[in-house]
Amino acid sequence: MGKKKIVFVLNNITLTRCLKRVGEFIDNGYDVDVYGFEKQGEEGYASPANFNISVIGVFSRKQSYYERLKVYYKSLKPLFRKYKGQDVIFYYFFFNIAFAARLLCRRPFIYEESDMPYTGLKNKLLRRWLGNIDKKMIKKSLLTVMTSEGFIDYHFGDDRPGNIVVVANRVNPLMMNLPYQKHDFDINHLSIAFVGGFRYNSVINFATTIAEHFPQHEFHAYGIILEYGEELKSLCDKYDNVHFHGKFRNPDDLPSIYEKIDLVLASYDATYINAQYAEPNKMYEAIFFRTPIIVSSNTFLAKKVTKLGIGYHINALDKQEIISFVNGLTADDINKKIQALEALPQEYAINKNPELFDYLQNY
């Protein structure tokens, strides 16, 4: 289709993956305009150095699913009027944005799906209805970018449309230029960390178990607190082996974080459908930094980690299973996981997506 102007619409202007994708299009010679939404409490975010972001709306974490859709709908109306008659392609990040946009505009679009938020709704009929809309949007798109092969399995099984490209959420190529020196681990004093948005019951349960039963080991949390903030603060106040370090910059601060940890925890709550099929970027950070990963059992991610031999899977909602897992850790087994990680080239974990741009050029 040639290199038409791409108009990006971001669900949240601070999300690293979305900003990384915009940068990729710029690096591949595309002219872009970028719009997005701010989250209350995070206003004043500075645009990246190589492009500007125009804020078109603000939403609150406390708003319901329906209330957020109203914000998106109201904010997108004038945006589509602005581009009326212009030969552009819209690029929607997240289902919520794509859903609101398709109610307003039937212009050609690219859709990027990195999660399926409606799968967490308790109303089964509503969940099924939104799921069917999602599948229709995927089929109607010029191209749908999915960050996990598992999402295709969920939606279509083996009957897959030909307009889907899987683009895993790998690490920023700038990471290759940052200094990093891994330390040797001590099996009698392990440092286990969660790196990202802290919001899962499974993660706070793991942290609590380490605090209460394993004073010889440490639990660290890096990132922002989305849920369970009071519980984490209470653990930090009560136990010397639990630490919260706050926000970090990606990719700048990741090397210094992974230098200090022995195992990275990515045990997203597998009771949620989305977590069962997602492929989070933590796996690629683990590969890049040669750090064994702990994930949730009965997930697409657990199958991949097991196949590669680079980590462990557990039910992190079960305290006794966590205790058995930590008691069963050995230096030999951790070293086997590190050897499997080192057998994978670091380039495997770096964000490079030629298949995406080949598809667009050949469309």
Side-chain angles (χ1 to χ4, degrees), residues 347-358:
E347 287 73 15
Y348 176 79
I350 294 294
N351 186 57
K352 293 179 182 177
N353 302 301
E355 68 280 6
L356 168 60
F357 297 97
D358 288 345

Side-chain angles (χ1 to χ4, degrees), residues 289-305:
F289 292 111
R290 312 314 200 190
T291 304
I293 188 171
I294 306 166
V295 304
S296 291
S297 300
N298 301 315
T299 62
F300 177 81
L301 181 60
K303 292 178 183 177
K304 196 150 190 176
V305 165

Side-chain angles (χ1 to χ4, degrees), residues 296-343:
S296 291
S297 300
N298 301 315
T299 62
F300 177 81
L301 181 60
K303 292 178 183 177
K304 196 150 190 176
V305 165
T306 301
K307 183 178 180 180
L308 294 172
I310 60 174
Y312 308 89
H313 66 85
I314 61 169
N315 178 6
L317 293 170
D318 185 331
K319 183 169 287 189
Q320 287 304 315
E321 187 167 333
I322 297 170
I323 291 171
S324 296
F325 164 70
V326 177
N327 280 330
L329 286 170
T330 66
D332 284 346
D333 195 47
I334 292 175
N335 276 319
K336 285 181 181 177
K337 301 295 188 287
I338 293 173
Q339 289 168 9
L341 287 158
E342 290 176 341

